[in-house]
Amino acid sequence: MRKTKAIEVKILEINPSELQHRLDALGATCVFSGQVYAVKMDFPNGRLYSNESFIRIRTLGETTELTYKGPKEKETNLKIQPEIQVNTSDLEKTISIFEQIGMIRVEEQRKHRSSYVLDNIKFDLDVPQEFPPLIEVEAPSRELVNKGVEQLGYTMAQTSNMTTTEMLAYYTTRRIKCPN
């Protein structure tokens, strides 16, 4: 079990191949590349979402993860959330356990992800089906997140702390077409 605080930002509407080349040039190590399928669950009354929390079950290639994310801290430019994560052996059985206690699927997402690590900073290059490509920069401290953003050639002013749910709403209103 991994219990941490996720400290991260997203850079939206990026060019994936350009950032992939930049990460390679920086010497980052690719630790995963493949399809991700994520299901967020809540009770029918929205008890978790109304508290800005959720249960997420996802597959990253052959790995299945079960994650609880707590309420987002009120930071202006970073997304900081308590997170508890464990691996499970079966996506559908894990979902079924939560359905048996009355939870429902409230959000599903499919994307291609390439994950890189450099100097204790994780870079997740995502190409979702629902909105334009983005890169997420996650690290154990604010300072390292800022360093990762700068290594990519961006500033913190160019980042977002939106959650996936917030991005879905944002892009639905903007009606931006995805390149897929």
Side-chain angles (χ1 to χ4, degrees):
M1 177 176 74
R2 187 185 73 157
K3 185 176 182 178
T4 61
K5 275 195 178 186
I7 303 172
E8 61 193 47
V9 294
K10 293 175 176 65
I11 302 167
L12 308 178
E13 300 176 28
I14 52 99
N15 179 323
S17 59
E18 181 182 300
L19 280 179
Q20 204 162 22
H21 291 302
R22 194 169 297 160
L23 287 164
D24 289 338
L26 289 167
T29 303
C30 184
V31 293
F32 173 78
S33 185
Q35 294 301 310
V36 175
Y37 172 61
V39 177
K40 289 185 182 175
M41 302 194 74
D42 196 354
F43 293 98
N45 66 0
R47 182 169 67 205
L48 294 176
Y49 264 45
S50 66
N51 191 35
E52 298 181 354
S53 303
F54 61 86
I55 297 290
R56 180 186 64 211
I57 302 137
R58 73 176 174 191
T59 57
L60 293 99
E62 299 298 313
T63 302
T64 300
E65 295 176 344
L66 166 62
T67 305
Y68 164 78
K69 287 216 180 195
K72 191 166 74 164
E73 288 184 15
K74 305 301 179 197
E75 284 280 328
T76 55
N77 63 346
L78 293 169
K79 184 176 102 180
I80 302 174
Q81 284 181 284
E83 177 179 279
I84 303 169
Q85 182 175 296
V86 296
N87 287 349
T88 72
S89 61
D90 187 288
L91 175 85
E92 290 304 323
K93 285 181 182 175
T94 306
I95 291 170
S96 181
I97 289 169
F98 287 95
E99 289 173 337
Q100 291 300 309
I101 63 168
M103 295 182 98
I104 58 171
R105 298 175 193 220
V106 293
E107 191 177 301
E108 295 185 43
Q109 185 186 32
R110 294 180 190 280
K111 61 187 167 189
H112 184 273
R113 169 171 282 181
S114 297
S115 296
Y116 293 82
V117 175
L118 177 67
D119 299 331
N120 210 19
I121 305 167
K122 186 176 178 193
F123 301 90
D124 288 327
L125 184 56
D126 289 342
V127 182
Q129 293 179 353
E130 300 84 359
F131 42 82
L134 63 102
I135 191 162
E136 185 177 278
V137 181
E138 182 176 352
S141 71
R142 293 169 168 83
E143 295 76 23
L144 282 175
V145 168
N146 189 55
K147 177 183 175 185
V149 168
E150 290 174 357
Q151 286 176 314
L152 295 175
Y154 292 90
T155 67
M156 290 301 287
Q158 295 171 289
T159 66
S160 170
N161 66 358
M162 283 192 281
T163 64
T164 302
T165 304
E166 291 166 336
M167 285 190 300
L168 285 168
Y170 174 76
Y171 284 111
T172 299
T173 28
R174 289 187 63 204
R175 289 184 171 73
I176 288 185
K177 295 283 186 197
C178 299
N180 318 16

